[in-house]
Amino acid sequence: MPSNKSVSDAPIVQFTNCRILRDHQLQREDLWVREGKILNPEKLFFDEKGSADVQLDCKDSIIAPGFIDVQINGGFGVDFSLATDDFKSGIDLVSQKILSHGVTSFCPTLVTSPPSVYHQVLPQISVRNGGAHGAGILGAHLEGPFISKEKKGAHPEHCLRTFEAGAFQDLLATYGSLDCVQIVTLAPEMRRSSEVIQELTKRGICVSLGHSVANLSQAEEAVQHGATFITHLFNAMLPFHHRDPGIVGLLTSDKIPAGRRVFYGMISDGIHTNPAALRIAHRAHPKGLVLVTDAIAGMGLAPGRHTLGQQVVEIDGLNTYIAGTKTLSGSVATMDTCVRHFQEATGCSVEMALEAASLHPAQLLGIEHKKGTLNYDSDADFLMLNDNLYVQATYIAGEEVWRQDASSM
């Protein structure tokens, strides 16, 4: 057998008998992995004269990139918006548990909170790679407090803020630090929001529009200043109106700067968005659709009372409400459930459903060169799924980090 030692001593693993999601279609190919990266087999054969050290039969599974959740507030009793002494162990628990949902990277999300909470929590969130310990952390998503009172949803009104003179300094003072921040959700109709959007974008932070009463021209102006995302489309924004479609109108706007794509999050849990609305969005702008769970601490727990930041929420089946009201407050759906529901509700291809949870969020964050695809040299974060899109195994950097127990299949 030809040696592959000339380039690296690391073992080469060949995944056989599988359908790989690559270039927007499922292809009957083998997947080659070495040192946590996807290998180009042609280079291996012809340049290195190498071959596989280990072969794994995937038994006709689908192999797809790992899911990326850019809006998750917690789960399994852990609330990312609560400042606790053991916050680190909480985030570790969630990152471990979501491996079974196919999530290999995520953005822990904080809802509107007092400055003291941001000052305590944000220094405890650090960007890190995934592994057997859990999904990778891409940086925090700060949803609020610079949002609209009219569309606050489950966010506590007493913590909402507006931009005063020196708006960006005000934001910095509120959060304390932007070191580990990946996304900030704000309402673009607020005075001085344009300068804040420009400053955040300059620092490589993704600006998302949400919890807002913005009209379409205000939303378009925000995009022209650098905003690239819409937080949970249709939820916590003005409903579509034919004379002024509001933020929803960004999906078909002709005022988006050339070469820029606007992405939008969808909570595809069958509760937050009617399947018809999901279909409308998907058909209007399929390449911008990003599946998010918007999961709260109650995900993975029994019905009852749980927290979301400063609020108490009640879980009743898949419905979650601010206690004593009918205000929806995040979801308890898992990412793999959202993918299956999206595919069923829209009738889209399996490939499109999988890319909405992997490629699209990676493109949103500008990390598609290493995450969200199975292109050569990208990170070997991937899933094995059956034809019904149930996750059978999760891999990070080419290592198996979770597998479905055969007895429960």
Side-chain angles (χ1 to χ4, degrees):
M1 180 185 281
S3 167
N4 52 49
K5 304 301 181 198
S6 57
V7 173
S8 169
D9 285 335
I12 294 168
V13 182
Q14 177 188 6
F15 294 81
T16 66
N17 190 13
C18 52
R19 290 159 289 157
I20 301 173
L21 177 56
R22 187 176 279 152
D23 295 330
H24 315 298
Q25 52 188 325
L26 290 175
Q27 306 182 14
R28 278 223 166 267
E29 288 177 23
D30 291 352
L31 186 76
W32 300 74
V33 174
R34 177 172 62 196
E35 291 186 315
K37 301 284 184 189
I38 309 287
L39 269 188
N40 180 342
E42 284 196 10
K43 281 189 178 170
L44 175 66
F45 301 149
F46 298 115
D47 298 351
E48 299 183 35
K49 308 286 188 280
S51 60
D53 297 288
V54 180
Q55 283 188 326
L56 290 175
D57 182 351
C58 301
K59 299 178 178 154
D60 204 35
S61 295
I62 292 169
I63 291 192
F67 299 148
I68 299 170
D69 193 351
V70 299
Q71 187 176 6
I72 170 170
N73 310 289
F76 312 99
V78 175
D79 183 345
F80 297 147
S81 303
L82 283 185
T84 58
D85 292 338
D86 61 347
F87 181 86
K88 276 201 167 86
S89 61
I91 208 165
D92 288 348
L93 175 72
V94 174
S95 67
Q96 228 295 304
K97 292 276 197 179
I98 58 179
L99 295 174
S100 66
H101 309 158
V103 177
T104 53
S105 302
F106 71 109
C107 293
T109 304
L110 278 72
V111 295
T112 294
S113 303
S116 60
V117 169
Y118 297 115
H119 294 193
Q120 275 180 272
V121 169
L122 289 179
Q124 299 186 70
I125 296 175
S126 50
V127 175
R128 69 180 188 206
N129 293 327
H133 58 275
I137 297 174
L138 300 170
H141 177 170
L142 305 181
E143 188 187 358
F146 302 98
I147 57 172
S148 156
K149 191 164 72 170
E150 291 85 357
K151 291 293 177 185
K152 66 182 187 297
H155 293 237
E157 190 171 323
H158 70 278
C159 295
L160 299 182
R161 299 174 74 95
T162 54
F163 293 121
E164 306 306 326
F168 189 69
Q169 290 309 312
D170 189 33
L171 175 140
L172 272 178
T174 301
Y175 295 146
S177 166
L178 292 172
D179 288 351
C180 68
V181 175
Q182 183 72 257
I183 305 172
V184 171
T185 293
L186 52 78
E189 71 275 15
M190 281 191 172
R191 286 178 60 216
R192 307 185 182 91
S193 66
S194 291
E195 61 185 270
V196 171
I197 292 169
Q198 286 172 303
E199 284 294 331
L200 288 169
T201 305
K202 230 187 270 179
R203 288 163 168 75
I205 293 170
C206 165
V207 175
S208 189
L209 311 179
H211 288 277
S212 162
V213 292
N215 60 34
L216 179 55
S217 66
Q218 289 168 325
E220 288 170 334
E221 189 185 339
V223 170
Q224 285 151 13
H225 284 116
T228 52
F229 195 38
I230 303 169
T231 295
H232 44 51
L233 187 77
F234 298 126
N235 290 283
M237 60 187 62
L238 291 178
F240 177 89
H241 189 282
H242 57 283
R243 278 194 286 278
D244 191 337
I247 289 177
V248 177
L250 287 175
L251 270 60
T252 55
S253 168
D254 58 1
K255 305 261 185 337
I256 308 299
R260 180 92 61 78
R261 186 187 303 178
V262 172
F263 293 88
Y264 59 96
M266 298 282 313
I267 309 168
S268 169
D269 62 353
I271 305 286
H272 280 77
T273 313
N274 185 285
L278 200 53
R279 288 191 285 274
I280 287 169
H282 171 247
R283 288 173 194 176
H285 184 28
K287 290 185 174 173
L289 195 151
V290 172
L291 292 176
V292 298
T293 60
D294 197 20
I296 61 170
M299 175 180 69
L301 300 182
R305 290 199 162 204
H306 303 283
T307 65
L308 177 61
Q310 310 297 302
Q311 311 266 50
V312 175
V313 300
E314 285 179 336
I315 298 177
D316 177 13
L318 281 178
N319 294 288
T320 63
Y321 302 111
I322 293 293
T325 76
K326 286 296 173 189
T327 300
L328 282 174
S329 60
S331 125
V332 289
T334 61
M335 183 58 93
D336 55 324
T337 304
C338 290
V339 170
R340 291 190 294 272
H341 179 262
F342 170 59
Q343 205 252 330
E344 193 181 324
T346 61
C348 73
S349 66
V350 163
E351 291 92 336
M352 171 60 80
L354 294 167
E355 287 186 344
S358 55
L359 175 62
H360 296 178
Q363 290 171 327
L364 164 71
L365 299 178
I367 58 172
E368 71 272 22
H369 59 289
K370 57 180 180 175
K371 305 275 186 199
T373 77
L374 298 177
N375 294 342
Y376 304 137
D377 298 324
S378 60
D379 294 351
D381 297 354
F382 58 89
L383 314 174
M384 283 186 198
L385 306 108
N386 65 18
D387 285 353
N388 296 320
L389 302 186
Y390 283 86
V391 180
Q392 298 171 315
T394 303
Y395 286 76
I396 293 181
E399 300 288 333
E400 184 181 293
V401 293
W402 181 84
R403 178 167 287 277
Q404 175 72 49
D405 178 4
S407 64
S408 59
M409 287 177 76

